[in-house]
Every structure is written in C-alpha cells, then in structure tokens.
Amino acid sequence: MKRNIFIVALEEKQKAMLETLRESKELEIHSLLTVETAVEAKEFSFNDTLSTARDSLASFPGTIDAIIAQWDFPTSVLVPLLCKEHGIPSPSVTSILTCEHKLWSRTEQQKVIPEVVPRFCGVDPFAETPFEQVTLNYPFWIKPVKAFSSHLGFKIENFEQFEAAIEEIRNNINQLGDPFTEALEYANTPDEIKQLGGNACIAEEIISGVQGAPEGSVYQGEFNVHGIISQPKSQLTQTLFDRLEYPSNLPEHVHHKMIEVSKKFLEHIGYNNGCFNAEFMWDEAEDQLWLVEFNTRISQSHSEIFVMVDGMSNHEVAVDIALGQRPSLLNRQGVAPVAAKCFIPYEHKDGVVRKIPSDAEIADIKSVFPHTEVKIDVGVGQRLSDLMHQDSFCYRLGTLYLAAENHVQIEEQFEYCLKALKFDIEHIDE
C-alpha cells in the first residue's frame, strides 16, 4: 500500500522533481491547500487556514503518513500543529516560532551565538513616539518581526525616513501581523514577545557581505547539513542578490562556522525532527560572519538546483523525517557539478508589461545551454506593482535555472540569458 505524503501548496512544476525521490513509486503525493490559499493570499486568518487544512485531512479516506512544509509562514507553523494531531514527527511549534519571530529569534541567538548577531532592538510601530525605542545609530534597517521577503523593510538614514517608514508599516503590517499574532497563541511565548504580538518591528544594524545558506535537518537529536547554497555578488545587475548557486564556493572555514553556529542555536531552542535552512552573510574584508535568519523548513526555491547537482530533490530529507526514517540525500548524481537559480531583475520603477520573451527566444537559449530552464512570471498587460511578494528594491520578472561545470560558467550563462530574453515594459510615472 502506498504511503500518502501531503505537501502544503504543492506546485504543478514540482511534481516531476518529486519523482526523483528514492521511494517515489511507493509514495502518493498530495497537495494540501492551494498556493493561492497558503502562499499568495493578501488577507487571511491563521486559524481559518488551519481549520481548512484540518477539514481537508479529515475528509481524506486513506492514511495520513507525512505532512511537509516547503514555504514560510503560515505553512511553517501550520505543519507542526497538523503533524502533532496526526502523530507525525515534527518540531514543536514553540521552537518553530522562536525562529520565525525575528525579535524573539534574535533574543535567543544573542544568548548562545552572540558573535554572529548584529545589534538590534524591538520597536512598537504603534507607540506614540516609536523612535524613542531605537537604540541604534544611523543607518539601520527596520522591518516587521514577520514579513514576506523584504516587504516593509526600510533602510533608515535619518529621522524623516524613519517617520515615513513607520507610517507605511502602520498602514500595512497587519496583513501578516494579525495572522502571526494568532499563531503565537499556540506557542509558549515569553511575556515580552506576547505583549508586542505579531504587529511589531525589529531594528537592526546594517550588515554586508556574500550570502551563504546551509540547509539541513535535525532527526532524533542528530544534526546534519545536506547542502550549502551561496548567493554571490553579481557584476551583471545592481541587485544585491540575483541568484542562488549550489554547491557554495565560499571558503571552507566559513562553511564550518555556519554549520557550527546553526547546530548550537537549534540545540539551544530544542529544535528536533525537522528541516531548516539558515541564511548568513560573510564580510570577507573583516572575515566576519553574520547570521541573517533561520527558516524552519526545506526551501522549495532550492529544490531544482539540488536535482540538477545531486539528482534528487531536497524533499527527500523532509519526507524521510516525517516517515520516521534517518534522512539522507544523494550526492553529486545530477547533470552538472554546479547549478544556479537566477532571478530576472527589473531594477526600475513601476511599469506595465507590453512584451515578454518569445518561445523562440527561449528555445534558442536551450539550444546553446541544454539544461537551462526558463520560467517567466509576468504576462502582457500586467502591472509590476501587482506582483506578489516582491523585494522593496526591484521586481523579479522570471527565473532561470542554469547548469555548468563551474561557477565562472554560471556567470557567463547568466549574462548570455539576460541579453537574449527581451522584455518591453512601459514605465508608469508615480
């Protein structure tokens, strides 16, 4: 009898990747909730979404053998609650939210890995004089304790910018802050975090460097890293991070330090029987490693490049843990030694899409680089400001998946593709 694996917000394009799993023929893969419900909803209630997921599982006629998270909040918190109800191995919801809540996480990080934690402070944007809570010098970042990507994240260089940022945050933070507050009720939340709730902010000193991200798991107390991703600074675009490369080519001592502090923090908060990826920045000039954040799941954005290099999706690790099996991943059994997920950036102001790359343009690229995949995320007539979950700094028009013999070739292929893919965007004056 096949075992039933539920993946929250499973996309159609991911089904082929799931065929790379060792036991794929013995698994029946199901999507729990839609992308529109679990990822792209502009307004939602956490409790209502949890109830919808519960009802869907309750109406399923077969066994429920695994429930997998591959997206950020609310999915990352829904899954441990559902797993507990169905007797499936999963981290505690408290350990999940200790990572997910940026201020709570920084507070706990400061206790055990202070050497990689930038200076920070909490800010209540609805306080009468929120600037009085800021303990940092200019410039600094301010952002919600829970947000999508860099949405509502602002670089603050003076008081006028701070006031403008607070006004925009006040007007929009509840979109995610309200459901996040609902989710916090399921955890053993410290009083100071509970009082702030989900509609709070964190201010942090500005850090810089090359980004690296170990992805791994903790299974029955055993910590393991199955891959390290890097985000090199590109010479091709103004965007700070325009691609993910696997495997990382950062120095080994940086890899070791990222792994060491990840293990130390996850042990500190009691994180167990789950996957993670941790984001860091390495300042090469100062040889200083900074921790950005912990994500309490595999990253679906890493799956394609794991398949290209290792021949197997990172879903393998998440499925193993949920089924109560020691996780493992194939190593270097894919089509190339190096792979990259590259974003097609638009580094201008808002506009309307008038032309997207043709099928012929994409076919020409694939004839030169056979393992390349091109995904266009915009359509003719679409306004860029209507796109979901975009960075504050640029729009993403699509995604390229590239495979090569080395990292230099990735850069060359990326440059070729950016020139070959033709977009026409009509600017809109604000």
Side-chain angles (χ1 to χ4, degrees):
M1 181 182 295
K2 289 189 175 183
R3 287 177 287 185
N4 294 297
I5 312 298
F6 290 83
I7 300 179
V8 177
L10 177 67
E11 296 179 295
E12 188 65 31
K13 68 183 179 67
Q14 294 178 309
K15 292 182 179 178
M17 288 188 294
L18 294 169
E19 293 175 2
T20 66
L21 305 185
R22 284 190 183 91
E23 300 179 13
S24 60
K25 290 182 171 55
E26 285 74 48
L27 305 176
E28 195 72 48
I29 307 295
H30 309 270
S31 182
L32 177 63
L33 304 178
T34 63
V35 173
E36 291 75 21
T37 299
V39 182
E40 296 180 349
K42 291 187 176 181
E43 293 183 3
F44 68 96
S45 158
F46 178 81
N47 288 329
D48 288 351
T49 306
L50 176 60
S51 179
T52 300
R54 281 173 171 158
D55 290 345
S56 180
L57 292 172
S59 66
F60 184 71
T63 59
I64 298 168
D65 300 296
I67 308 171
I68 306 300
Q70 59 173 4
W71 297 97
D72 200 355
F73 182 79
T75 298
S76 53
V77 184
L78 291 171
V79 167
L81 292 171
L82 296 169
C83 285
K84 184 177 181 180
E85 293 170 5
H86 290 274
I88 297 169
S90 178
S92 69
V93 70
T94 296
S95 67
I96 293 276
L97 282 165
T98 305
C99 295
E100 297 272 332
H101 191 294
K102 294 182 187 299
L103 181 59
W104 187 1
S105 190
R106 285 298 194 206
T107 302
E108 293 303 316
Q109 293 163 20
Q110 187 67 46
K111 296 175 182 177
V112 290
I113 47 172
E115 70 277 13
V116 297
V117 179
R119 289 177 298 155
F120 66 94
C121 62
V123 177
D124 177 2
F126 296 100
E128 186 173 343
T129 53
F131 188 75
E132 292 181 358
Q133 303 169 62
V134 178
T135 59
L136 307 176
N137 297 324
Y138 299 120
F140 59 85
W141 290 108
I142 189 166
K143 50 196 170 185
V145 295
K146 173 50 63 181
F148 290 120
S149 190
S150 61
H151 181 60
L152 296 182
F154 299 93
K155 182 179 180 181
I156 306 299
E157 297 177 310
N158 53 56
F159 182 68
E160 290 73 25
Q161 289 181 357
F162 179 84
E163 285 196 312
I166 287 294
E167 182 178 1
E168 186 163 346
I169 288 170
R170 283 172 172 170
N171 290 335
N172 296 284
I173 193 173
N174 67 309
Q175 177 185 350
L176 204 57
D178 285 352
F180 195 55
T181 298
E182 292 178 48
L184 288 169
E185 292 299 317
Y186 294 89
N188 297 322
T189 312
D191 289 342
E192 61 272 21
I193 299 298
K194 185 175 291 187
Q195 289 170 6
L196 279 173
N199 289 306
C201 290
I202 184 171
E204 294 188 338
E205 72 171 305
I206 292 175
I207 57 177
S208 62
V210 180
Q211 194 156 331
E215 182 172 297
S217 60
V218 183
Y219 173 67
Q220 295 185 0
E222 180 181 327
F223 175 92
N224 184 59
V225 169
H226 54 256
I228 301 178
I229 313 294
S230 63
Q231 293 185 242
K233 287 187 175 180
S234 178
Q235 305 301 314
L236 303 176
T237 72
Q238 297 300 310
T239 305
L240 187 58
F241 301 117
D242 57 22
R243 68 187 184 271
L244 308 171
E245 292 188 2
Y246 175 63
S248 164
N249 62 345
L250 292 173
E252 280 303 307
H253 79 278
V254 176
H255 291 168
H256 289 314
K257 183 64 175 179
M258 289 192 292
I259 292 170
E260 173 194 331
V261 299
S262 296
K263 183 175 187 289
K264 196 169 184 179
F265 177 70
L266 293 176
E267 287 178 346
H268 169 69
I269 64 171
Y271 189 84
N272 194 20
N273 292 323
C275 299
F276 73 91
N277 63 85
E279 299 177 22
F280 292 87
M281 279 191 184
W282 176 56
D283 182 340
E284 182 176 7
E286 301 295 329
D287 194 20
Q288 169 67 50
L289 187 68
W290 296 109
L291 173 61
V292 178
E293 65 182 0
F294 278 92
N295 299 303
T296 55
R297 51 178 172 75
I298 61 165
S299 175
Q300 53 80 30
S301 66
H302 297 168
S303 299
E304 292 92 345
I305 54 179
F306 272 111
V307 172
M308 295 170 88
V309 173
D310 291 330
M312 180 179 286
S313 173
N314 53 349
H315 287 85
E316 173 76 17
V317 175
V319 171
D320 278 345
I321 291 176
L323 294 177
Q325 302 169 175
R326 188 175 184 274
S328 65
L329 195 70
L330 284 177
N331 187 259
R332 309 302 186 259
Q333 302 294 309
V335 298
V338 180
K341 177 180 182 178
C342 306
F343 305 109
I344 304 171
Y346 183 72
E347 301 163 319
H348 303 281
K349 294 184 179 179
D350 198 9
V352 175
V353 179
R354 298 304 181 196
K355 177 190 176 299
I356 62 174
S358 66
D359 291 342
E361 289 171 13
I362 295 173
D364 286 345
I365 288 174
K366 296 189 72 166
S367 69
V368 179
F369 306 115
H371 298 298
T372 299
E373 295 293 333
V374 181
K375 181 176 179 288
I376 305 300
D377 294 330
V378 296
V380 173
Q382 188 165 22
R383 183 165 177 169
L384 297 181
S385 57
D386 291 335
L387 295 171
M388 291 288 293
H389 305 157
Q390 297 291 304
D391 288 337
S392 301
F393 318 108
C394 80
Y395 296 103
R396 292 177 177 178
L397 305 180
T399 308
L400 295 162
Y401 299 96
L402 309 176
E405 290 298 313
N406 54 55
H407 294 270
V408 173
Q409 286 184 8
I410 290 288
E411 180 92 356
E412 293 170 350
Q413 289 184 29
F414 189 23
E415 182 175 15
Y416 181 97
C417 292
L418 289 180
K419 291 178 179 177
L421 295 170
K422 307 297 183 185
F423 291 86
D424 181 12
I425 297 175
E426 179 184 345
H427 291 188
I428 295 176
D429 294 327
E430 296 181 354

